[in-house]
Amino acid sequence: MLDRILAKRIIPVVVLDQASDAEPLAEALLDAGLDIMEVTFRTAAAAESITRIAKAFPEILLGAGTLLEPDQVARARDAGAIFGLAPGLNPEILAKAKQVGLQFSPGVMTPSDIEQALSLGCDLLKFFPAGAAGGPNMLKALAGPYAHTGVKFVPTGGISAKNLGDYLALPVVAAIGGSWMVDKKLVADANWTEITRLTKEALAAAAAV
Ligand code: 3PG
């Protein structure tokens, strides 16, 4: 999974209000050359959206995000998610992910969070909220005591095409996540061509690092 994430280095963070938008959105990302996405459990449409994408586009490395309840972890797995994420680190969620066989990246923001994640066996960690938590400078500082452990981060929160290079230039950053290329308004307007354009732009910016 890490190899596939490292190949593209971008994870679009998707919020879907209507499951019927799932396939066209996935297609818009694939048209741009991106075969990774995270569908967040922030809406009632999340599980069905994951089911639809997993069925129509099995080539997508499909993640479920914002998993805050153990029950959501099981539903994400049943729906066909390959990996899971959360904004924070909750041992109950990690235990459930292990039980159902879902690869999981908890969210961290502090040295203590990182140490707890490592001791629970996680080494690909979401770093959230990246911008508000100090951005690339914070990650550079955290790399000091932790890079040698092999830990890698996926920063999200406040990242766009303008600043993704600052994050991806850091060896401790595996990939970045963000919602800007799959903005809710673009989805509501069914503006798939703009989603494809923004995704291509993001991939080009990442490839240039
Ligand atoms: C996330 O959960 O990763 C964030 O909501 C994404 O942050 P962004 O909307 O600032 O990209």
Side-chain angles (χ1 to χ4, degrees), residues 13 38 40 42 66 87 126 128 156-159 177-180:
V13 178
E38 168 189 341
T40 58
R42 295 177 202 177
T66 322
K126 175 165 166 144
F128 178 83
T156 73
I159 301 180
S179 64
W180 82 96

Side-chain angles (χ1 to χ4, degrees), residues 31-75:
D31 284 350
L34 189 57
D35 57 0
I36 300 176
M37 67 191 287
E38 168 189 341
V39 177
T40 58
F41 267 70
R42 295 177 202 177
T43 64
E48 192 191 333
S49 300
I50 290 172
T51 302
R52 284 176 175 236
I53 296 165
K55 190 162 174 237
F57 305 105
E59 68 272 36
I60 291 185
L61 182 62
L62 186 54
T66 322
L67 297 175
L68 306 180
E69 308 282 344
D71 169 58
Q72 292 172 330
V73 177
R75 285 168 58 215

Side-chain angles (χ1 to χ4, degrees), residues 87-91 94 106-123 125-129 133 138 142 146 151 153:
L89 191 162
N90 177 344
L94 283 174
V108 299
M109 203 187 84
T110 67
S112 299
D113 295 342
I114 295 168
E115 290 179 25
Q116 196 186 358
L118 289 172
S119 75
L120 290 167
C122 304
D123 55 10
L125 310 177
K126 175 165 166 144
F127 177 67
F128 178 83
M138 177 67 163
L142 291 170
Y146 299 114
V151 71
F153 298 100

